[in-house]
Amino acid sequence: MEIYFLGTNAGVPTLQRNVTSVALRLLEERRSFWMFDCGEGTQHQVLRSPLRLGKLEKLFITHLHGDHLFGLPGLLSSRGYQGGTGPLTVYGPPGLKAYLDISLSVSQSRIPYPLEVVEHSGGLIFEDDGFKVEAGLLEHRIDSYGYRVTEKDSPGNLNKELLLSYGLKPGPLYGLLKKGQDVTTEEGVLIRAAEVVNAPKRGRIVTVLGDTRPCQGTLPLAWDADLIIHEATFGHDLEGMAHQYHHSTARQAAELARDAGGRELLLTHFSSRYTTHEELLPLLAEAREIFPQTLLAEEFCTFPVYRRTPGNVPGK
């Protein structure tokens, strides 16, 4: 599980950074990737990345402002020309379907794959055997949602040394034990799954927050998350402007990560007033004063989502 940024700017693109889009790579877990937001030019960013649109399985829109949305019709159209034949589901606030219906019909765009648009107003919006995705309303000029992606716990590994001491060699009974079923060997020895299966592996949690100023809705989404992606449109010297425009400062993002007990924080959605990486370093510094495990998002960079294990302290 990895995060890959395709756009980290707020409002408008610059020569250095594109507008918002982030990919959650699930190549080992699902052989696919998910995308959060799709600002103008995202498909061009994909062409410069290791991602392939044919592997895009789900796309989540946080809100219907153009810097998070204007790249969507073009990307959906191009997906079919880049090997995308499998189903694609797009999730977002009410109004998303009308936007896509008009854009694709007026442009006579042909979508040669199953496309489903799911409008939601928060809550549990997706769940299967491996993952669930929850959405929560934030505080912005229009309805804006954050997403909490939870990887479900996976069964622990078998204690193979102990099994061999029972005389049980690898085979079908191993599979039953891993599923939690007790088994009996040919010699009549009862082996209890609870005694030979290690503790389950904790699933990872990734929180992707859309545009928001500090509000109560962020905490449940970010609670105990392994990775929190939070907007940091301004430095804290512009806190008044951030509040006026319904955005957050880097320090406010760090306060949320600290209060939520998160493991790591990635700052993104930077104002175009910060034109260089060096100009973003003060935002990083102010965030790290409160939450040391903070990084700046960088386009075309991969950020692994580490699994928290016993003794694995956040930031270590």
Side-chain angles (χ1 to χ4, degrees):
M1 184 186 290
E2 299 172 328
I3 291 294
Y4 189 90
F5 283 94
L6 294 162
T8 60
N9 227 39
V12 295
T14 66
L15 292 175
Q16 294 77 29
R17 300 190 302 267
N18 200 48
V19 286
T20 299
S21 183
V22 58
L24 175 61
R25 301 177 71 185
L26 300 168
L27 301 182
E28 293 184 6
E29 296 81 6
R30 303 177 71 91
R31 298 183 180 178
S32 67
F33 75 94
W34 295 355
M35 184 180 290
F36 295 83
D37 285 332
C38 188
E40 182 182 2
T42 294
Q43 65 170 310
H44 290 276
Q45 299 290 86
V46 171
L47 291 174
R48 299 171 59 192
S49 80
L51 302 173
R52 296 293 175 264
L53 286 181
K55 295 289 186 180
L56 177 60
E57 179 189 11
K58 295 184 180 296
L59 202 160
F60 302 87
I61 299 296
T62 60
H63 64 294
L64 303 185
H65 277 158
D67 58 318
H68 297 253
L69 183 70
F70 282 165
L72 186 53
L75 182 139
L76 294 179
S77 300
S78 296
R79 182 175 182 265
Y81 295 104
Q82 298 182 30
T85 58
L88 173 62
T89 306
V90 182
Y91 302 82
L96 176 62
K97 189 174 188 306
Y99 169 76
L100 287 177
D101 285 345
I102 293 172
S103 300
L104 297 175
S105 63
V106 170
S107 62
Q108 298 187 28
S109 299
R110 178 176 173 269
I111 305 298
Y113 54 84
L115 174 64
E116 182 182 10
V117 180
V118 177
E119 295 185 337
H120 67 79
S121 298
L124 180 66
I125 61 172
F126 169 75
E127 185 171 17
D128 65 6
D129 292 339
F131 288 85
K132 69 175 180 179
V133 181
E134 300 161 283
L137 185 63
L138 307 176
E139 189 173 317
H140 195 47
R141 290 191 294 114
I142 62 174
D143 283 357
S144 179
Y145 289 87
Y147 293 99
R148 178 182 175 91
V149 179
T150 303
E151 178 188 31
K152 295 186 176 180
D153 294 347
S154 56
N157 295 325
L158 293 174
N159 187 330
K160 295 183 179 179
E161 291 184 3
L162 182 57
L163 289 172
L164 290 174
S165 72
Y166 286 131
L168 186 62
K169 296 181 179 180
L173 294 184
Y174 273 40
L176 296 176
L177 287 166
K178 195 158 187 177
K179 292 178 180 178
Q181 299 180 30
D182 299 339
V183 303
T184 303
T185 68
E186 294 180 356
E187 292 75 20
V189 177
L190 174 65
I191 302 177
R192 299 190 183 279
E195 298 175 355
V196 297
V197 180
N198 296 322
K201 294 181 181 178
R202 179 190 186 271
R204 289 159 288 186
I205 300 171
V206 174
T207 298
V208 182
L209 298 173
D211 288 9
T212 187
R213 58 188 180 190
C215 65
Q216 293 182 346
T218 57
L219 191 60
L221 292 170
W223 188 258
D224 199 32
D226 296 285
L227 182 63
I228 300 168
I229 300 173
H230 197 300
E231 69 135 289
T233 308
F234 300 105
H236 211 68
D237 59 318
L238 297 176
E239 180 183 5
M241 182 180 292
H243 183 81
Q244 178 183 355
Y245 290 103
H246 294 79
H247 285 296
S248 298
T249 69
R251 182 182 299 176
Q252 289 167 339
E255 290 170 345
L256 180 273
R258 176 199 62 196
D259 295 346
R263 184 186 188 280
E264 194 168 33
L265 171 65
L266 276 172
L267 301 178
T268 188
H269 198 269
F270 308 117
S271 167
S272 57
R273 71 180 56 236
Y274 309 109
T275 58
T276 66
H277 179 79
E278 287 69 26
E279 290 177 314
L280 289 172
L281 293 180
L283 276 68
L284 178 62
E286 71 181 40
R288 283 182 169 175
E289 288 180 1
I290 295 167
F291 191 77
Q293 299 79 41
T294 302
L295 296 171
L296 294 174
E298 297 183 50
E299 292 173 29
F300 309 118
C301 286
T302 299
F303 296 85
V305 183
Y306 295 105
R307 190 184 305 274
R308 196 182 308 197
T309 58
N312 182 273
V313 180
K316 300 296 183 181

